[in-house]
Amino acid sequence: MSEYRPAEIEPKWQQYWLENKTFRTDDNDRDRPKYYVLDMFPYPSSSGLHVGHPEGYTATDILARHKRMIGYNVLHPIGWDAFGLPAEQYAIKTGTHPRKTTNQNIDGFRRQLQALGFSYDWDREVNTTDPAYFRWTQWIFLKLYEQGLAYEASVPVNWCPELGTVLANEEVIDGKSEVGGFPVERKPMRQWMLKITAYAERLLQDLEELDWSESIKEMQRNWIGKSEGANVVFPMKTDGTAPEETIEVFTTRPDTLFGATYMVLAPEHPLVDRVTTDAQKQAVANYRETAARKTDLDRTDLNKDKTGVFTGAYGINPVNNEEIPVWIADYVMMSYGTGAIMAVPGHDERDWEFARKYELPIVEVVKGGDVTKEAYVDSNEGICVNSANNEVSINDLPVPEARKVITEWLEQKGLGKYAVTYKLRDWLFSRQRYWGEPFPVIHVDGKPKPLPEDHLPITLPELDDFEPTKTGEPPLAKAGEWVNTTDPETGKPAIRETNTMPQWAGSCWYYLRYISPDYEQGPVDPEKEKYWMPVDLYVGGAEHAVLHLLYARFWHKVLFDIGVVSTKEPFKRLVNQGMILGELEFTAYKDADGRYLPVDRNGMSEELERVKLEEKDVEKRGDRFVIKGTDTVVDARSFKMSKSRGNVINPDDVVEKYGADALRLYEMFMGPLEQVKPWSMQGVEGVYRFLKRVWRLIMDQESDTVNQAVARSVNSDGSPVVEPDRAQLKILHETIKKVTDDIEGHRFNTAISALMIFTNEAMKWDVRPVEVLKPFLLILSPFAPHLAEELWEKLGVLTNEVSPDAAETEGTTHRSGRTLAYEPWPEYREELLQADSKTYAVQVNGKVRGQIEVPSERAAEKDFVLDAARNEPAVSRHLDKGRVVKEIFVPNRVINFVVK
RNA sequence: GCGAGAGUGGUGAAAUUGGUAGACACGCUAGAUUUAGGAUCUAGUGCCGAAAGGCGUGGGGGUUCGAGUCCCCCCUCUCGUACCA
């Protein structure tokens, strides 16, 4: 071996780590501080890893390796989120059991991850489809049920006929299924729901203490959507014969109550039938039918044109006893608040639009705008007007105060009360699928009944045909023998639940199972849970910003309440890696006549021909790119990787060509972890060259041994020939400091840059002392572990710490073997960082005119330094132009002369 | 619309508290070496200029001896969200 050959050294060390269980975590080693660093576990798809996986996984691996070297007991596991639709759809197409494809895919993913050298504890692998795992997913469901947090309901769901399943709102995008893009319609079905709304306030409050990015916390806050206001009761006008009815509305603006000029009920509101007058019956029925046919999308989409129908009924505004008409309109949603609103067109945009269209009165009750032109909606500024009755007046009060006064009055009179409303809705928790966790529930006499814990796990029945039924009945309904069972308690005939749990279920608690993957008495060993929880760092894609993280936090809080876990939040710190886009593309557009058209940022029409250009065919003009030599502006951007665009980078190809260390290093060198970044194959070559340089720094080009520059630094017994010189120690310790700080701050790109600077410098040395190279390899090792291990071994042979024979055999134990994985992390020494001289930049009127070098020991002497600065020719030239009126002296940095 | 984040060379990006803008890398140019190279090495590379020098961190204004960094206004892009009363 003469040159750097990752294909030889990488499998060697991967095998060594596996065979020696180098990264097995010792639960009993409780004296050292713990560090639990977690990756979002992957769904093992048939297409294998994409380059986004190794991004977060490399970051956590660097941190895990670093923490081990600074003495932490590190828990760094991986597993498989393996239930899910693709395996099931493949099963429907081919008849292959999803278990088979899933296991194949897991084997593929495991191989790929091991080929990247991640330091996982492979003895803790979890798999959500393993009955030994989902036994506890089912157990948690039973606990939720016991707590009254799981219930059945008939709810309109997103039914996708093509997929034969119901989808969660988040799986529907633009009225089509996220998977496959099939149309989705509304259909009422019996479903399991989880009462996440019971935890809304705690899920909101406890965000405060989490070390997550502000944007993710904000997204969760928005999703929970807390609003404060009042529920107000409006009596209905009655002719004396009809029964008395009231309409309760929720409003965040009770201060505008005097401006309510009409009311609106959601079309589905149960009161509609009772209040509609005979004359309006037909119109209302027609409107309700149209509204029912609309999907949520049609009702909420960009179509802002408001429609509605008068019911013929009137409500009475409780503050001024005015009769106001009651309408139905689909801009009011049954699922939010009370499903009814008081409309204040003067101070709500939607109400204003609606009032304009149907010629309803608009009354100003807050001064500050012109309600004849648009609604004045500011909820902080403004003074109330036209808002008084015999008992109470909020006139002349600022809006926030008015809100308090009127709410108190309503409460006193029993007309309304302070109220809080959340956007968050209960979690639709069942799917009409085969490949998911069965519910541990039977139906006896038509009622649901949980199965006893000792019956778990409830496993899936074997099926040959995974096709859902056309009626929406889940495929499990076809397993007659499985479905028809008996109640173990009473012996009565019973029917099993045929829905299965959604994919989120298994991922809601997997981080707990890693702690004690074989524990039989519960989901997690309580003693170990206390040691390891919470997760210190959780890294994954931002696509899980809301749902997965909210669901997992919800389950965790329930488990906390029943004493299963000891922390109220699972993930102390969260980092979201940014997406990796495809390579930068230059695109020009031609019309039908073959003429190039300038690019319009808002998107080009489909009929135009897309022409892909090479980088050499374009040039920069202003802040845009044009076709070279022309004025034709081209589109220059990176796109999300997708099969259809053909810009997908396969990590296997990169590993084959450049090695795992190069892939790891490149993904970290691209830019900050959390940022969106475009891929560049040339960038990979760049870090690959760096790794080759590191190899040549130590290894001889012709033989299998270290080079002369390194060998020269030690005697034949391995002892050092000469001490490293000051300059060598200085750059080494600078690098140690920079890399250490940067790892701790997750600035992996600049850490790598520091390693490159060291290497470039060290390449110039004729003698490369082992005492300098060894610490360098240790700080390189979290980033490029295979290369570092290999070179560490070579240096060990040189200094007689590792015998050349031992290098060929395996079987040492993981704490004392040849690996550097548990070597102590080098510490930098402050005194070695000091330079002999300091450089000052010298400015005249804020412009840099020259530099001076001064001896370090005199660098803080203002007079001495200023004198030296004045005598610098490039500076004095500018000082002569006027009179120095001020001298700024910033120690060790800069001098500024102000000249007039 | 609303909310959040971001705009720095040809490209990815650096710049700890307001103190030499562009580290490191890609690309490019020239040279060396090589049968050859997508290898390696040396030098150069923000823009204009022969140089002195001038101009430069999306645009405009401000604070300061000094602003990529702080303040105000505007523009653009990315992500999230969407009639939430």
Side-chain angles (χ1 to χ4, degrees):
Chain A
M1 199 198 305
S2 56
E3 56 190 45
Y4 175 48
R5 293 208 187 102
E8 290 176 20
I9 62 179
E10 289 179 353
K12 168 185 161 185
W13 286 100
Q14 285 154 13
Q15 198 191 342
Y16 175 90
W17 296 326
L18 274 182
E19 285 177 358
N20 293 286
K21 293 189 184 296
T22 301
F23 302 111
R24 198 186 57 218
T25 302
D26 185 354
D27 286 316
N28 299 315
D29 186 6
R30 308 263 173 97
D31 298 333
R32 289 186 297 150
K34 67 95 184 179
Y35 190 73
Y36 186 178
V37 52
L38 180 67
D39 291 309
M40 286 187 188
F41 66 165
Y43 172 76
S45 69
S46 58
S47 47
L49 287 184
H50 58 79
V51 290
H53 288 115
E55 189 190 12
Y57 295 172
T58 303
T60 52
D61 195 58
I62 289 167
L63 292 165
R65 287 174 179 272
H66 171 245
K67 289 282 183 195
R68 280 186 204 104
M69 294 171 82
I70 61 173
Y72 279 76
N73 194 15
V74 171
L75 180 57
H76 186 41
I78 194 73
W80 320 108
D81 188 14
F83 276 126
L85 206 46
E88 182 158 337
Q89 281 175 306
Y90 186 76
I92 291 167
K93 257 196 302 194
T94 66
T96 320
H97 196 287
R99 185 181 301 117
K100 194 175 167 211
T101 20
T102 300
N103 287 338
Q104 282 169 357
N105 292 348
I106 287 175
D107 289 343
F109 262 62
R110 190 189 298 106
R111 235 191 331 269
Q112 283 188 297
L113 291 178
Q114 289 177 346
L116 291 171
F118 296 133
S119 62
Y120 295 123
D121 179 352
W122 288 101
D123 290 351
R124 290 173 189 263
E125 205 177 319
V126 303
N127 173 350
T128 54
T129 65
D130 181 355
Y133 178 90
F134 70 66
R135 169 188 178 185
W136 297 108
T137 312
Q138 291 171 335
W139 182 88
I140 295 170
F141 177 83
L142 291 178
K143 298 296 151 187
L144 289 161
Y145 188 87
E146 280 170 27
Q147 298 294 306
L149 295 167
Y151 63 95
E152 285 184 297
S154 178
V155 280
V157 294
N158 303 303
W159 165 247
C160 179
E162 210 79 25
L163 296 174
T165 189
V166 163
L167 301 171
N169 287 333
E170 62 273 13
E171 291 166 316
V172 182
I173 291 167
D174 293 339
K176 300 214 165 87
S177 62
E178 186 183 11
V179 180
F182 304 116
V184 173
E185 54 193 56
R186 309 280 286 166
K187 178 177 177 178
M189 283 187 112
R190 185 188 60 82
Q191 301 285 329
W192 280 98
M193 305 289 290
L194 294 185
K195 212 184 270 178
I196 190 171
T197 51
Y199 281 72
E201 188 61 31
R202 282 165 69 189
L203 289 168
L204 181 68
Q205 288 305 323
D206 291 346
L207 282 172
E208 298 301 323
E209 67 199 56
L210 295 178
D211 185 6
W212 295 12
S213 75
E214 200 43 48
S215 74
I216 297 285
K217 288 206 241 182
E218 195 60 24
M219 280 163 72
Q220 294 221 344
R221 281 188 204 110
N222 291 341
W223 194 264
I224 295 167
K226 181 180 182 175
S227 297
E228 287 179 88
N231 280 345
V232 184
V233 179
F234 284 61
M236 296 294 293
K237 180 193 171 192
T238 160
D239 56 9
T241 57
E244 283 186 20
E245 297 279 4
T246 57
I247 300 176
E248 187 170 18
V249 302
F250 172 73
T251 177
T252 55
R253 297 293 305 275
D255 51 292
T256 62
L257 199 43
F258 287 89
T261 56
Y262 65 102
M263 302 182 79
V264 185
L265 300 174
E268 307 90 338
H269 200 292
L271 220 48
V272 175
D273 280 330
R274 281 179 270 158
V275 304
T276 306
T277 60
D278 291 340
Q280 292 301 102
K281 276 235 152 62
Q282 194 53 48
V284 166
N286 290 346
Y287 186 81
R288 292 180 87 176
E289 202 182 307
T290 334
R293 271 206 308 268
K294 287 189 188 175
T295 61
D296 265 4
L297 173 79
D298 295 327
R299 283 176 62 161
T300 62
D301 197 30
L302 305 162
N303 180 13
K304 299 282 184 195
D305 187 34
K306 297 194 174 28
T307 58
V309 173
F310 180 43
T311 62
Y314 289 86
I316 297 168
N317 189 337
V319 292
N320 56 15
N321 291 321
E322 279 195 26
E323 290 178 9
I324 56 177
V326 177
W327 288 61
I328 63 169
D330 63 8
Y331 80 89
V332 172
M333 305 286 152
M334 193 56 224
S335 49
Y336 183 78
T338 62
I341 63 158
M342 63 172 201
V344 186
H347 307 285
D348 181 282
E349 275 172 36
R350 296 152 299 177
D351 298 344
W352 192 88
E353 244 176 86
F354 192 81
R356 266 301 169 95
K357 181 166 175 185
Y358 293 105
E359 295 176 340
L360 294 157
I362 298 171
V363 176
E364 179 180 64
V365 291
V366 180
K367 260 197 308 203
D370 180 356
V371 299
T372 63
K373 293 212 177 70
E374 59 176 357
Y376 177 69
V377 297
D378 197 310
S379 59
N380 292 309
E381 302 296 316
I383 303 292
C384 291
V385 293
N386 300 325
S387 298
N389 59 32
N390 294 336
E391 296 176 28
V392 66
S393 170
I394 53 173
N395 283 337
D396 303 325
L397 288 179
V399 161
E401 210 170 312
R403 207 145 34 207
K404 269 186 225 147
V405 172
I406 196 71
T407 306
E408 272 165 33
W409 185 79
L410 289 167
E411 284 185 347
Q412 269 169 30
K413 303 288 286 185
L415 298 170
K417 58 174 190 290
Y418 169 83
V420 173
T421 297
Y422 300 91
K423 274 198 286 188
L424 184 70
R425 307 196 201 148
D426 278 346
W427 175 12
L428 174 58
F429 192 66
S430 42
R431 298 298 133 93
Q432 289 62 51
R433 289 179 186 164
Y434 174 78
W435 196 227
E437 298 89 345
F439 282 84
V441 172
I442 52 172
H443 293 260
V444 188
D445 301 331
K447 286 194 201 119
K449 185 175 179 181
L451 286 163
E453 281 177 31
D454 57 18
H455 277 59
L456 302 183
I458 310 301
T459 53
L460 287 163
E462 295 303 316
L463 286 184
D464 301 323
D465 164 21
F466 305 95
E467 195 94 39
T469 64
K470 287 298 161 211
T471 57
E473 279 240 52
L476 288 184
K478 295 180 182 175
E481 277 184 35
W482 182 85
V483 173
N484 295 302
T485 180
T486 52
D487 179 355
E489 243 174 52
T490 63
K492 281 192 191 176
I495 298 169
R496 284 187 197 275
E497 172 65 59
T498 54
N499 282 305
T500 53
M501 299 187 197
Q503 197 178 356
W504 305 109
S507 62
C508 264
W509 72 283
Y510 72 109
Y511 57 92
L512 292 172
R513 196 60 189 166
Y514 288 135
I515 288 170
S516 50
D518 302 317
Y519 189 62
E520 291 283 339
Q521 276 73 55
V524 60
D525 182 336
E527 201 202 335
K528 292 178 182 172
E529 187 276 335
K530 279 188 194 67
Y531 175 66
W532 286 112
M533 285 301 285
V535 173
D536 294 279
L537 178 68
Y538 192 23
V539 177
E543 66 273 22
H544 296 115
V546 175
L547 297 164
H548 159 62
L549 289 167
L550 200 64
Y551 294 154
R553 291 179 62 218
F554 164 47
W555 278 34
H556 193 86
K557 287 186 182 302
V558 175
L559 293 175
F560 175 74
D561 288 348
I562 61 172
V564 174
V565 298
S566 60
T567 65
K568 58 180 183 173
E569 284 288 336
F571 315 120
K572 194 160 88 185
R573 176 143 193 224
L574 173 77
V575 170
N576 293 107
Q577 84 253 21
M579 203 193 313
I580 296 180
L581 305 175
E583 299 237 9
L584 181 64
E585 294 176 32
F586 299 98
T587 317
Y589 295 87
K590 271 184 185 169
D591 66 11
D593 302 329
R595 280 186 304 236
Y596 282 109
L597 294 176
V599 167
D600 175 3
R601 281 264 167 191
N602 300 323
M604 303 298 287
S605 134
E606 294 293 319
E607 296 110 61
L608 299 174
E609 190 196 342
R610 272 194 357 209
V611 185
K612 269 184 105 169
L613 300 166
E614 298 290 312
E615 201 182 338
K616 60 178 192 311
D617 299 330
V618 298
E619 61 183 337
K620 188 102 177 204
R621 177 94 38 92
D623 57 354
R624 308 197 136 181
F625 279 92
V626 296
I627 299 176
K628 220 168 221 174
T630 73
D631 291 327
T632 309
V633 176
V634 301
D635 197 16
R637 55 189 299 183
S638 299
F639 298 89
K640 193 170 168 174
M641 288 188 192
S642 70
K643 280 194 191 117
S644 58
R645 197 168 267 281
N647 60 350
V648 176
I649 303 289
N650 182 347
D652 283 345
D653 299 341
V654 180
V655 170
E656 196 191 328
K657 205 162 169 200
Y658 303 102
D661 283 338
L663 175 65
R664 293 169 58 112
L665 211 62
Y666 173 65
E667 295 219 4
M668 294 299 98
F669 189 59
M670 292 171 89
L673 181 62
E674 298 183 72
Q675 194 166 303
V676 177
K677 318 165 263 278
W679 186 267
S680 157
M681 231 22 161
Q682 285 176 329
V684 181
E685 302 230 9
V687 296
Y688 180 59
R689 266 177 238 163
F690 162 67
L691 293 173
K692 286 198 286 192
R693 256 195 334 273
V694 172
W695 180 262
R696 288 199 312 272
L697 180 67
I698 291 173
M699 296 300 290
D700 182 58
Q701 288 300 85
E702 257 80 65
S703 72
D704 192 24
T705 55
V706 301
N707 58 38
Q708 280 305 302
V710 176
R712 215 176 281 155
S713 80
V714 293
N715 294 309
S716 55
D717 65 352
S719 63
V721 169
V722 286
E723 292 295 309
D725 67 36
R726 255 192 89 180
Q728 289 173 331
L729 288 171
K730 178 164 183 278
I731 181 120
L732 172 68
H733 284 255
E734 276 169 357
T735 308
I736 293 170
K737 179 173 163 39
K738 177 79 176 147
V739 170
T740 307
D741 290 350
D742 283 352
I743 288 176
E744 279 162 8
H746 301 181
R747 294 180 297 270
F748 306 111
N749 53 333
T750 50
I752 292 165
S753 155
L755 293 166
M756 288 173 167
I757 292 169
F758 173 89
T759 306
N760 292 345
E761 199 55 41
M763 281 300 262
K764 299 176 193 161
W765 302 339
D766 295 330
V767 179
R768 299 171 191 160
V770 174
E771 307 94 281
V772 173
L773 296 177
K774 283 185 130 190
F776 167 72
L777 289 178
L778 292 177
I779 60 174
L780 172 71
S781 70
F783 300 87
H786 310 87
L787 174 62
E789 289 272 25
E790 183 69 16
L791 293 175
W792 180 258
E793 185 180 86
K794 299 289 185 197
L795 291 185
V797 171
L798 179 72
T799 57
N800 295 330
E801 284 158 282
V802 175
S803 79
D805 298 338
E808 303 306 321
T809 60
E810 304 296 339
T812 41
T813 63
H814 78 281
R815 292 286 148 81
S816 58
R818 300 174 351 243
T819 177
L820 51 61
Y822 293 89
E823 289 295 320
W825 187 258
E827 282 181 38
Y828 71 90
R829 281 164 48 202
E830 192 69 48
E831 71 271 19
L832 293 173
L833 302 179
Q834 303 310 320
D836 295 337
S837 65
K838 292 267 155 77
T839 307
Y840 274 88
V842 186
Q843 300 178 337
V844 178
N845 289 340
K847 286 192 173 130
V848 178
R849 296 297 178 179
Q851 292 182 1
I852 54 164
E853 291 261 322
V854 296
S856 290
E857 59 275 15
R858 303 201 68 179
E861 294 173 33
K862 184 174 175 181
D863 292 340
F864 172 79
V865 177
L866 286 182
D867 239 29
R870 271 189 287 265
N871 292 329
E872 171 71 23
V875 175
S876 58
R877 186 168 31 196
H878 290 92
L879 294 181
D880 296 342
K881 289 177 187 164
R883 188 167 56 84
V884 176
V885 296
K886 198 167 180 183
E887 296 166 338
I888 311 283
F889 176 74
V890 183
N892 298 329
R893 286 193 185 274
V894 76
I895 293 152
N896 190 7
F897 294 110
V898 183
V899 174
K900 267 193 182 157

